[in-house]
Amino acid sequence: MTQPGPALAVEGLAKSFGPVRAVDDLTFAVRPGAVTGFLGPNGAGKTTTLRMLLGLTRPTAGRTLVGDRPYGEHALPARVVGAALEASSFHPGRTGLAHLEVFAPQVGVSRRRCRDLIDFVGLGGAAHRRVGGYSTGMRQRLALATALLGDPPAIVLDEPANGLDPEGIVWLRRLLRAFADEGRTVLVSSHVLAEVQHTVDDVVIIAAGRLVHASSLADLAGLAAPETYVESPDLPAVERLCAEHAWDVRPGERGLLVLAPSAEVGAAAYRSGVELHQLASRGADLEDVFLRLTGGVRS
Amino acid sequence: MRNALVAEYRKLVTTRMWWVLLLACAAYLGFIGAVLGFSLVFAPEQQGGVTLHGIDAATAVYSLTNGIGYVFPLVIGSLAMTTEFRHQTITQSLLVEPRRGVYLGAKLLATVPVGLLYGLVAVTAVVAASAPLLAGWGDGAYLTDGGVLQVLALSVVVIAVWAVVGVAFGSVVTNQVAAIVVILAFTQLVEPIARVALGSFAGLDQVAKFLPGAAADGIVGASFFSSYGSGAGELLPRWAALLVLLGYAAALALIGRYTTLRRDVG
Ligand SMILES: Nc1ncnc2c1ncn2[C@@H]1O[C@H](COP(=O)(O)OP(=O)(O)O)[C@@H](O)[C@H]1O
Ligand SMILES: [Mg+2]
C-alpha cells in the first residue's frame, strides 16, 4: 500500500425489509488514518449498512462511496477495500489455504501471498485442514486473511472480535492500530463499546437504523459524567458536602461514588476540612454514555 | 473475466464433491453399460420386441452416456451454484466480483472443463463395460467405425453442455436440496414419460424432440429411446439440437441473472 486510504461515505442511506426500517436516513463519513468504531446494539443496522457500502445490498434510498465512487465501480474493488462481514461464510469442505487461493486471482495476488497471509493470521498449522473443523476464532482469522489478501488501503470488519480469544483480540487491536498509523482507513463494527474502546479514534453510533452520535472518542468521553470515588472516616460529612453541591452520590466499596470531577470534590472537602483517605477519579463511564445514546439498559 | 474463470474453476476443484460424483458417475454408467451390453448379447429378442443387431446395438449402448448419465453433469453444475448460497460464499464471491453478469458467465464457462472430464470418464466407463461383451459375444464393438466414434466424441461434448445447463438451473433454483430433487424428478421421471407420451400423439411428436433430453440425443445423433422405437424416435439435426440445448442454458441463466442475482444476497 502506498497512497493513503480512501474516505468512506454513507449519504442519506436507508433500507427497508418489508415493514422493518433497518437503516433510516443515515449519513456519516469515515476518514483515513484512523480507526473508526461503528457501534450500535444488536439489530441497529450495522451489518445492513456495511453490506450496502460493499454493494451486496441495494439501498432503498441514498448512496455509499468508497473514495470517489461506489464500491462496485472500482476496477479491482477487493484491492481497495478488504472486508470481512459478520458470520463470514466458508465452504466447510475447502481448506483454509484453498479458500484464499480461490479468491486470489480476482484480487490479483499470487498463491505465495495466500500462504504468507495464512501464516500471518496464525493459521499456518491449519492451512491444509478443512474449514468445517475450524473454531469460531479460527474462522474470524481466516475472514481477516481474506480481507487482507489485496493489501487494501481500506479495511471494513464486521464484529471481528466475536469468538476471538483474548490474545487474538489484543493482536487484532495492534494490527488495526498499525493499519491506521500507516494511513489506511479502518472501519470496525461492534455491539459492545468496551470491545473497541481501546482501539478506536472515532465513533459512529447508531440505534434503530438512525445515527445517534458521531465524533472522536475523546468527544464521546466528554459526554460522560465524571465520577469520583471517596473514602473518609467521616462519610456522613462527605454526604452533607455533596448535598450542598447537589452532587449525586452512590455507595461504593468502602466509600462513596460522587458524580462530580475529582478536583471539585477534593477542593470542596479541603475547604470544609473533611478528612479524606482516598480521592480517585473513576473517569468517564463510556458504557453509560453508549447505553444512554442507544436507549439500552445496563446488563 | 480470465481471473473470474480461474476462481470459479478453483471453487469447483477444491472440494471433494467433483471427484465423489465423478466416481459415482463412472460406477453407475459402467454398471448400466454392462447390464445393457449383457442383455443385448445374450437375450436380444427380449428388448421390447425390437431386436438390435450389429452397429445399431453398439450405438444404442454407447448412447447411454447421455441417455442415462446426464443427471451427473446436471447435478455437479447445479451444485457449483447452489453451494454458494448454501454456505453463503456468494457474499465473498460478489465482493471480489461485483459485476454479477461476469460472475455468472465465469461460473457457466468454468464448468466446461469439468464437464468435459465427466464426459470423458462417462464414455470410458460405458465403453469399457460394454465393448468387451459386444466384441466377445455380440456382433462387435465397432470402436473403429467413424459413426460410432462420432457418437462417442459428441457424448463427451454433450455432457459438458449438460454441466453448463446445470449451473444455469442452479442460478434459478438456488436451494440445494430443491435443485437436486427437481433434477432427479425431471431426468428420471418427467422427461422420459413426456417423451414417450408426446411421441404417441400424432401432432405432438414434433414437440418431443425439443425437450432438453431429446435435444441432447440429437447432438449425439443417437438415442437410447429411438433405438427401441418407442415412438419418440425423431431427433433434431445436430446443429439445431446443440442450439436448443444451449438455448435452455441461456434462458435459465438469464432468468437466474435477473431474479436471483438481482436481489440482495446473504
Ligand atoms: N435480509 C433481511 N431480511 C429482513 N430483515 C432483515 C434482513 N437483514 C437484516 N434485517 C433486519 O434489519 C435490522 C438490522 O439488522 P442488522 O443490520 O443485521 O443489525 P446489526 O448488524 O446492527 O446487528 C434487524 O431488525 C434485522 O432483523
Ligand atoms: Mg450485525
Side-chain angles (χ1 to χ4, degrees):
Chain A
M1 200 208 67
T2 46
Q3 83 279 44
L8 309 177
V10 166
E11 298 173 355
L13 198 65
K15 178 70 185 181
S16 300
F17 295 108
V20 179
R21 201 121 172 105
V23 175
D24 198 359
D25 194 22
L26 188 59
T27 300
F28 66 88
V30 180
R31 65 185 169 107
V35 180
T36 301
F38 186 33
L39 306 166
N42 283 323
K46 302 181 296 295
T47 302
T48 306
T49 303
L50 297 181
R51 296 188 78 92
M52 287 192 277
L53 178 67
L54 298 165
L56 296 166
T57 296
R58 193 196 306 250
T60 307
R63 62 169 189 167
T64 59
L65 293 176
V66 172
D68 59 350
R69 66 192 79 173
Y71 177 82
E73 286 174 23
H74 287 272
L76 281 173
R79 273 306 248 288
V80 183
V81 182
L85 284 166
E86 188 183 39
S88 285
S89 308
F90 311 99
H91 192 298
R94 206 171 271 144
T95 67
L97 183 59
H99 167 81
L100 293 183
E101 287 175 348
V102 158
F103 296 105
Q106 286 158 300
V107 181
V109 295
S110 65
R111 291 196 139 138
R112 172 78 225 206
R113 167 98 182 136
C114 299
R115 183 75 246 183
D116 291 347
L117 259 178
I118 208 141
D119 288 336
F120 176 71
V121 299
L123 289 174
H128 295 287
R129 268 168 51 197
R130 278 194 286 277
V131 178
Y134 279 21
S135 67
T136 320
M138 291 166 83
R139 281 162 201 255
Q140 286 283 26
R141 286 168 186 267
L142 185 57
L144 187 65
T146 315
L148 298 183
L149 262 183
D151 193 19
I155 292 145
V156 173
L157 305 175
D158 194 11
E159 309 259 2
N162 276 2
L164 216 56
D165 45 279
E167 186 194 334
I169 290 180
V170 172
W171 170 79
L172 180 67
R173 212 175 263 170
R174 293 215 183 103
L175 188 68
L176 297 181
R177 173 54 37 214
F179 281 156
D181 290 346
E182 286 167 21
R184 298 187 212 230
T185 313
V186 183
L187 180 63
V188 240
S189 85
S190 176
H191 64 284
V192 194
L193 174 66
E195 208 171 69
V196 294
Q197 192 173 338
H198 305 288
T199 322
V200 301
D201 306 295
D202 294 349
V203 290
V204 172
I205 303 177
I206 64 169
R210 295 183 142 270
L211 185 73
V212 293
H213 183 88
S215 75
S216 67
L217 186 70
D219 286 355
L220 180 72
L223 294 178
E227 281 187 339
T228 306
Y229 176 68
V230 179
E231 279 184 16
S232 164
D234 187 5
L235 281 177
V238 178
E239 285 191 70
R240 254 178 278 122
L241 200 64
C242 291
E244 275 167 31
H245 288 84
W247 292 329
D248 280 337
V249 185
R250 285 190 280 134
E253 295 127 70
R254 297 188 299 138
L256 291 170
L257 273 168
V258 183
L259 240 71
S262 53
E264 288 180 29
V265 178
Y270 178 73
R271 281 197 304 272
S272 323
V274 177
E275 182 179 345
L276 295 184
H277 288 182
Q278 235 194 74
L279 179 74
S281 175
R282 281 293 157 87
D285 190 342
L286 279 180
E287 199 66 26
D288 269 343
V289 183
F290 178 60
L291 291 170
R292 185 150 44 84
L293 287 170
T294 59
V297 282
R298 185 161 219 146
S299 52
Chain B
M1 187 68 184
R2 202 185 141 268
N3 290 330
L5 276 170
V6 177
E8 292 305 331
Y9 177 75
R10 284 188 188 170
K11 277 182 205 165
L12 276 169
V13 298
T14 48
T15 70
R16 286 181 291 190
M17 189 53 80
W18 74 273
W19 61 259
V20 169
L21 215 62
L22 186 61
L23 283 184
C25 172
Y28 183 64
L29 284 181
F31 173 72
I32 301 282
V35 168
L36 193 72
F38 193 83
S39 59
L40 273 175
V41 167
F42 295 109
E45 70 285 353
Q46 287 171 11
Q47 296 296 323
V50 181
T51 311
L52 289 174
H53 288 296
I55 196 166
D56 289 341
T59 315
V61 180
Y62 299 154
S63 68
L64 275 177
T65 309
N66 173 49
I68 304 281
Y70 72 132
V71 64
F72 291 97
L74 267 180
V75 168
I76 196 73
S78 75
L79 285 177
M81 202 70 208
T82 57
T83 43
E84 292 252 40
F85 288 88
R86 172 150 180 230
H87 300 298
Q88 286 301 317
T89 48
I90 182 79
T91 295
Q92 184 60 38
S93 296
L94 292 181
L95 280 179
V96 296
E97 181 48 88
R99 292 168 302 172
R100 298 180 177 196
V102 173
Y103 162 74
L104 181 59
K107 219 173 203 32
L108 290 163
L109 288 180
T111 326
V112 171
V114 175
L116 287 173
L117 177 67
Y118 268 67
L120 210 60
V121 169
V123 166
T124 309
V126 169
V127 170
S130 61
L133 288 162
L134 294 168
W137 292 277
D139 299 337
Y142 292 92
L143 283 178
T144 49
D145 182 272
V148 168
L149 287 177
Q150 208 171 17
V151 164
L152 295 180
L154 287 167
S155 295
V156 175
V157 172
V158 86
I159 291 292
V161 179
W162 276 122
V164 176
V165 175
V167 174
F169 177 70
S171 75
V172 178
V173 181
T174 52
N175 180 295
Q176 191 156 79
V177 176
I180 290 176
V181 168
V182 170
I183 287 173
L184 288 180
F186 187 82
T187 58
Q188 308 305 302
L189 212 65
V190 178
E191 182 165 26
I193 291 174
R195 278 177 81 175
V196 173
L198 288 173
S200 1
F201 293 103
L204 293 175
D205 54 354
Q206 292 304 306
V207 180
K209 63 187 176 191
F210 288 97
L211 289 171
D217 280 343
I219 298 174
V220 175
S223 163
F224 183 62
F225 283 92
S226 56
S227 303
Y228 290 110
S230 58
E234 213 180 317
L235 296 176
L236 288 168
R238 278 189 170 133
W239 61 269
L242 182 63
L243 284 182
V244 168
L245 197 56
L246 287 174
Y248 277 106
L252 287 168
L254 269 176
I255 295 173
R257 172 66 186 86
Y258 289 103
T259 56
T260 306
L261 286 175
R262 220 168 70 138
R263 289 194 277 266
D264 298 340
V265 301

